[in-house]
Amino acid sequence: MTIRQEEQRDYEEVYQLVKKAFETAEESDGIEQDLVTALRNSESFVPELSLVAVEDGKIIGHILFSKIMIGGREELALAPLSVHPKWQKKGIGLALMAKGHEAAGKLGYDYAVVLGHAEYYPKAGYVPAGRYGIKAPFDVPDENFMAVRLNDKAENLNGTVQYDKAFGI
């Protein structure tokens, strides 16, 4: 498996992958594939942080980090992370997160936040966002709104996340 930056020629395959990945997900609103499209067309899109996992010429996973604001600082939100159902539970999501975190750190970002499964994302270093002074702009259990520090020297933040309007929040 290789992980590389998504290219424009991948868009339709990624759209179908995201749709398939979330078809049976418990915590899905069924529009994650449309969110990816909307974020690509927004000012918060960072092309270097839209990554695909490829096996035998087929895209089997995708991750997208987009820009958010927290207390006046530009940081990142991970959303969504998608792995084809046939390839889930094989470490592909964790590999995509690791590669994304590395790329984000090189681009100068200090934090990434995620709204997600409390038992999955901590495997990639995510902890309740409140530990870093980061608050959600909506009511959510602490264990589901998480953040990872991408730069060990980064200071804690003190602010509420402002998502791109593409998120509809």
Side-chain angles (χ1 to χ4, degrees):
M1 176 188 74
T2 59
I3 296 176
R4 62 168 171 78
Q5 183 176 330
E6 177 191 47
E7 299 171 4
Q8 191 168 358
R9 65 183 169 94
D10 301 324
Y11 287 3
E12 180 58 29
E13 191 174 355
V14 167
Y15 185 91
Q16 296 304 323
L17 165 79
V18 175
K19 186 174 181 179
K20 183 80 171 163
F22 281 94
E23 272 179 353
T24 58
E26 290 177 28
E27 303 294 325
S28 171
D29 54 15
I31 60 165
E32 288 81 5
Q33 66 277 1
D34 298 321
L35 174 61
V36 171
T37 300
L39 286 168
R40 274 194 209 111
N41 293 313
S42 76
E43 292 180 17
S44 67
F45 183 60
V46 183
E48 300 90 338
L49 299 178
S50 184
L51 306 174
V52 291
V54 181
E55 180 72 33
D56 295 328
K58 296 258 190 227
I59 295 174
I60 59 170
H62 173 259
I63 194 168
L64 178 62
F65 293 87
S66 56
K67 293 183 275 189
I68 57 172
M69 295 299 291
I70 307 171
R73 289 192 36 192
E74 191 174 88
E75 297 297 347
L76 298 170
L78 185 175
L81 169 61
S82 311
V83 177
H84 190 284
K86 290 180 184 174
W87 291 89
Q88 291 176 4
K89 300 188 183 344
K90 298 181 187 301
I92 293 164
L94 292 172
L96 282 163
M97 282 189 277
K99 190 79 160 180
H101 293 161
E102 178 186 345
K106 287 179 181 175
L107 290 172
Y109 292 99
D110 291 332
Y111 290 94
V113 301
V114 68
L115 175 62
H117 198 279
E119 293 174 22
Y120 179 69
Y121 289 94
K123 295 176 185 177
Y126 285 83
V127 299
R131 291 191 194 172
Y132 299 126
I134 302 169
K135 299 170 204 70
F138 40 73
D139 196 23
V140 62
D142 289 345
E143 66 268 15
N144 296 110
F145 187 70
M146 296 167 272
V148 65
R149 183 179 273 162
L150 302 169
N151 170 1
D152 291 337
K153 295 178 180 146
E155 294 182 18
N156 281 5
L157 301 176
N158 184 21
T160 301
V161 172
Q162 293 175 280
Y163 286 95
D164 188 279
K165 64 184 176 192
F167 281 94
I169 299 170

